C-alpha cells in the first residue's frame, strides 16, 4: 500500500530538509525510515513554493522578538555562586 506526497521544508541544505522529512513522517504518520522512498529533491525559488508554512517566511520585514535578554554584569562583580536568583527580564 503506497501513498504519494509532496513536501516542502525550509533548511540550509538538502540533507537537513531530508532529515526534517524523516522526522515528520515518523511523528505524524508513524512511517519507518526504511519504508520511505524519496523520488526527487530540489531547491525551490520563492515563486515556486506552494505550502503556506513556507510562504509565510518569505516576508522580508519578518522580525522575531528578543526574549529573556539578561543584562551583562561587570567582570569585577561576577561570582560563581549567588545568594539570590538572577533577574532574567529587563525593566
Amino acid at each position: 500500500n503506497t501513498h504519494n506526497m509532496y513536501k516542502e521544508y525550509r533548511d540550509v541544505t538538502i540533507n537537513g530538509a531530508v532529515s526534517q522529512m524523516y522526522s515528520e513522517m515518523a511523528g505524524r504518520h508513524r512511517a519507518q525510515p526504511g519504508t520511505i522512498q524519496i523520488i526527487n529533491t530540489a531547491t525551490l525559488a520563492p515563486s515556486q513554493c506552494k505550502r503556506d508554512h513556507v510562504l509565510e517566511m518569505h516576508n522580508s520585514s519578518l522580525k522575531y522578538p528578543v526574549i529573556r535578554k539578561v543584562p551583562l554584569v561587570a567582570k569585577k562583580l561576577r561570582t560563581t555562586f549567588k545568594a539570590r536568583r538572577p533577574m532574567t527580564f529587563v525593566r
Side-chain angles (χ1 to χ4, degrees), residues 6 35 38-40 44 47 50 61 89:
Y6 172 80
T35 62
I38 299 173
I39 296 171
N40 188 17
L44 298 178
S47 60
K50 299 177 185 177
S61 64
F89 60 91

Side-chain angles (χ1 to χ4, degrees), residues 5-9 11 13-22 36-45 48:
M5 292 186 180
Y6 172 80
K7 297 282 192 182
E8 289 181 4
Y9 297 96
D11 206 303
T13 62
I14 290 183
N15 287 339
V18 169
S19 77
Q20 280 186 38
M21 189 263 317
Y22 278 122
I36 298 172
Q37 294 179 354
I38 299 173
I39 296 171
N40 188 17
T41 58
T43 304
L44 298 178
Q48 296 174 320

Side-chain angles (χ1 to χ4, degrees), residues 1-2 14 43 46 51-54 56 63 73 75 80 90:
N1 196 4
T2 61
I14 290 183
T43 304
R51 303 292 187 239
D52 289 335
H53 70 278
V54 176
E56 69 185 4
K63 293 183 179 180
V73 179
K75 185 73 173 174
T80 305
V90 179

Side-chain angles (χ1 to χ4, degrees), residues 22-37:
Y22 278 122
S23 296
E24 181 187 357
M25 294 301 287
R28 289 190 182 179
H29 305 286
R30 300 292 187 257
Q32 302 298 319
T35 62
I36 298 172
Q37 294 179 354

